[in-house]
Amino acid sequence: MPGSGTLLGAGTRWLLLGAPADAALLDRVWELLTATAPAADAVVASVVGHHGEGVSLAYVDLAPAHRAHVSRGGARVVESDGVHTLALGTAQVPGSLRLVGGVVAADAVDLRPGSAPRPPTTGGATSGATTGAPPAAVPGIIDAIPPEILASRASDPPPEPPPVVTADPVEDSRQGLDERIGHTVRRAADPDHDGHTTFRAAEAPASSPPPPTPDHLHQPTHETVLAARCTAGHLTPAFVPTCRACGRPVPPQDPARVPRPQLGVLRLPDGDTVPLDRGVVLGRQPTAPPETADWPHLVRVGHDSSYVSRTHLRVELDGWLVVATDVGSRGGTTLRVPGRAPERIRAHEPYVWEPGQVLDLADSCEVVYDVVAGVQA
């Protein structure tokens, strides 16, 4: 049930907290809930140490090896017919939401075990599943979600690269900094930033020279596009009738391959804009993916929302396309298009972001993709 409290959990371990939870506490508790060792004492100690003895919380661990029930303050844990109810005060569960795992705002929750036993950290408890042996199957009818799907878990995102500290960080990082950073937007100071910036060394040369490349392939295609010009002189994709920037007609002409222009800007909630002259990574404390060849803009957003992940959304340029990918964030990403119902985009699946559309990070930070005619060559 949505509410003012915070519910987080995965698998057999769930915590309902009756106090505001900041990012540092959520990260610590999430690590404990997804660890293999018993977590009851450590979870309670972390919450009490952060909020004090008077905090309201309800915690359950339904794993047979280390089952535990803990309630403090005005929270309660009730078990009836195999269903465990966690609630703050007298809140009731109307059955309005279904959750496999993660972090949401809630005042109460019903935990209904799945149809087959699951390890402590590889599955998610759902509020609508039932316990016991599954009913006899009816030919041709799917009457339940298979246990192996319920017990599955998305792969963890790649680890963040560790900070690099050298004998003289200022001097060592000075060379080539302008070329690597370029137009990167500098955001306001973040209280959980560690004060170090990671610079990746240039790749070592190959042991043997690559085979010669044909002359017609010498021009890098990832930085050039096939383009035409509209009547106002804006570059636009070839073979389209109207300009992507101003809407004016594009007269007949032979297209040319040119360096890709800036494709527009991302408009942030505070009014700042990020130029789309290369990739962008957004989050509370974003880092570039290890496989990135060109250093992207690292843009900090959602400082006041604990549901925005440190690295939440990655934006890449592919020809004339702007491609956005949720990198497995905790709060998810919602697509908002005028005239259509909001739609949740799937994690780790690329999405072609069209001008005028909004991507809402964790339902708390709206970012708009906009084409600006004046920035094109």
Side-chain angles (χ1 to χ4, degrees), residues 158-183:
E160 299 180 359
V164 176
V165 181
T166 64
D168 188 355
V170 175
E171 183 63 25
D172 291 350
S173 62
R174 184 71 65 184
Q175 184 177 6
L177 181 59
D178 292 339
E179 291 77 10
R180 299 297 298 272
I181 300 301
H183 298 285

Side-chain angles (χ1 to χ4, degrees), residues 88-110:
L88 300 175
T90 60
Q92 302 294 322
V93 181
S96 60
L97 292 178
R98 181 180 179 90
L99 180 67
V100 175
V103 183
V104 296
D107 284 337
V109 63
D110 281 343

Side-chain angles (χ1 to χ4, degrees), residues 265-292:
V265 297
L266 299 185
R267 299 193 182 276
L268 306 180
D270 60 3
D272 285 350
T273 59
V274 182
L276 287 176
D277 54 354
R278 49 195 165 100
V280 182
V281 181
L282 300 101
R284 284 191 297 108
Q285 191 176 349
T287 59
E291 69 276 8
T292 300

Side-chain angles (χ1 to χ4, degrees), residues 243-259:
C243 177
R244 67 185 296 271
C246 66
R248 289 185 174 90
V250 178
Q253 59 191 279
D254 291 331
R257 182 162 292 279
V258 299

Side-chain angles (χ1 to χ4, degrees), residues 2-375:
S4 59
T6 301
L7 171 70
L8 66 162
T12 61
R13 298 175 180 174
W14 292 82
L15 171 70
L16 181 61
L17 179 60
D22 59 22
L25 178 60
L26 286 179
D27 289 342
R28 171 60 180 158
V29 173
W30 185 261
E31 291 176 358
L32 295 172
L33 294 178
T34 55
T36 56
D41 294 340
V43 169
V44 173
S46 295
V47 175
V48 171
H50 191 86
H51 288 289
E53 294 288 341
V55 67
S56 296
L57 66 87
Y59 172 83
V60 294
D61 188 341
L62 305 181
H66 34 77
R67 183 178 294 268
H69 295 180
V70 180
S71 60
R72 296 177 63 98
R76 57 189 173 90
V77 178
V78 180
E79 179 180 1
S80 176
D81 297 329
V83 178
H84 293 74
T85 299
L86 282 63
L88 300 175
T90 60
Q92 302 294 322
V93 181
S96 60
L97 292 178
R98 181 180 179 90
L99 180 67
V100 175
V103 183
V104 296
D107 284 337
V109 63
D110 281 343
L111 301 179
R112 304 176 185 272
S115 59
R118 296 196 291 271
T121 63
T122 59
T126 65
S127 60
T130 58
T131 60
V138 179
I141 297 179
I142 299 176
D143 58 358
I145 300 176
E148 60 270 19
I149 295 180
L150 286 174
S152 65
R153 181 180 179 186
S155 58
D156 293 332
E160 299 180 359
V164 176
V165 181
T166 64
D168 188 355
V170 175
E171 183 63 25
D172 291 350
S173 62
R174 184 71 65 184
Q175 184 177 6
L177 181 59
D178 292 339
E179 291 77 10
R180 299 297 298 272
I181 300 301
H183 298 285
T184 296
V185 177
R186 297 189 175 186
R187 309 293 299 146
D190 193 340
D192 61 0
H193 189 261
D194 59 4
H196 299 288
T197 301
T198 301
F199 297 97
R200 295 180 288 106
E203 296 182 359
S207 57
S208 58
T213 304
D215 290 340
H216 69 287
L217 296 181
H218 273 303
Q219 193 172 24
T221 58
H222 70 283
E223 294 181 352
T224 62
V225 290
L226 199 61
R229 288 189 181 272
C230 71
T231 54
H234 303 135
L235 287 173
T236 196
F239 311 114
V240 296
T242 58
C243 177
R244 67 185 296 271
C246 66
R248 289 185 174 90
V250 178
Q253 59 191 279
D254 291 331
R257 182 162 292 279
V258 299
R260 178 174 55 210
Q262 180 177 320
L263 298 186
V265 297
L266 299 185
R267 299 193 182 276
L268 306 180
D270 60 3
D272 285 350
T273 59
V274 182
L276 287 176
D277 54 354
R278 49 195 165 100
V280 182
V281 181
L282 300 101
R284 284 191 297 108
Q285 191 176 349
T287 59
E291 69 276 8
T292 300
D294 296 327
W295 198 258
H297 295 296
L298 303 180
V299 182
R300 293 183 188 168
V301 295
H303 296 162
D304 54 350
S305 173
S306 57
Y307 300 113
V308 175
S309 296
R310 291 176 177 238
T311 300
H312 195 110
L313 186 74
R314 183 171 67 244
V315 180
E316 299 171 299
L317 307 184
D318 183 6
W320 287 100
L321 301 179
V322 177
V323 182
T325 305
D326 184 302
V327 295
S329 65
R330 181 168 55 195
T333 303
T334 301
L335 169 67
R336 302 188 188 279
V337 180
R340 285 169 41 185
E343 176 185 354
R344 204 76 156 180
I345 67 174
R346 296 179 180 271
H348 304 293
E349 290 190 6
Y351 172 80
V352 177
W353 197 354
E354 299 291 346
Q357 295 181 349
V358 177
L359 288 182
D360 193 347
L361 279 58
D363 295 325
S364 61
C365 179
E366 292 189 347
V367 182
V368 184
Y369 167 33
D370 190 13
V371 173
V372 181
V375 301

